[in-house]
Amino acid sequence: MSMEKIETRETSKTPSVLFDPEQGLFEIRGKSIPENSNSFYTPLLLYVEKYGASPARRTVLSVRFEFFNTSSSHRIHALFKRFERISQADREVLIKWYCEKGDVSMHDAGKDFRAILQVPFEIIEVDEL
């Protein structure tokens, strides 16, 4: 089953998205403060659900949020759970959570997600997102 790549540009309220199922590479970056987080994230959740039916041997999700609001946080968690399910189906999955050095709130958010997920989850501090 071949799936189309998803590529969306960042807006002032939503992150850019690059989902490349052929390569098993998924990336989200920017701000996530949409008016309606369900309408933004639901298509992504459905996409990853479909991808999970026949994922690449190795899947990497890279997340680089500058900021996200509470409603996005719930949808981001739901997205992570989809990747967790893929990893439980004996596939190699890695979530990379990037945050700027010194951004305590984003680092803590990554630690919180890592604590509640059963999937390899790296927190990577960088000089600049």
Side-chain angles (χ1 to χ4, degrees):
M1 164 182 68
S2 162
M3 292 176 66
E4 291 293 311
K5 200 188 271 195
I6 293 182
E7 264 184 284
T8 62
R9 289 177 178 260
E10 184 175 351
T11 70
S12 60
K13 294 186 183 271
T14 59
S16 66
V17 175
L18 173 58
F19 283 6
D20 184 344
E22 297 288 312
Q23 303 296 317
L25 296 175
F26 295 77
E27 184 177 284
I28 301 174
R29 62 165 44 194
K31 290 186 199 81
S32 185
I33 50 172
E35 302 295 323
N36 181 337
S37 60
N38 281 340
S39 67
F40 180 77
Y41 282 98
T42 296
L44 302 180
L45 291 164
L46 293 170
Y47 185 92
V48 174
E49 192 92 13
K50 185 177 173 191
Y51 169 78
S54 102
R57 192 182 54 74
R58 181 168 198 263
T59 299
V60 177
L61 169 62
S62 294
V63 184
R64 296 171 183 258
F65 283 115
E66 291 166 37
F67 179 81
F68 59 86
N69 60 13
T70 305
S71 68
S72 291
S73 160
H74 297 295
R75 307 319 302 152
I76 294 162
H77 179 246
L79 190 65
F80 288 166
K81 293 298 277 182
R82 299 298 190 287
F83 285 95
E84 180 182 66
R85 277 188 219 132
I86 294 168
S87 81
Q88 290 166 343
D90 260 356
R91 295 296 176 139
E92 190 182 340
V93 175
L94 174 62
I95 296 175
K96 294 181 173 186
W97 179 270
Y98 290 87
C99 58
E100 283 191 21
K101 287 185 178 123
D103 187 339
V104 176
S105 62
M106 288 308 280
H107 192 275
D108 286 350
K111 286 198 313 203
D112 290 345
F113 281 124
R114 183 173 63 190
I116 56 178
L117 294 164
Q118 301 295 310
V119 63
F121 193 108
E122 290 179 2
I123 298 174
I124 301 162
E125 290 191 352
V126 294
D127 289 330
E128 214 175 281
L129 288 176

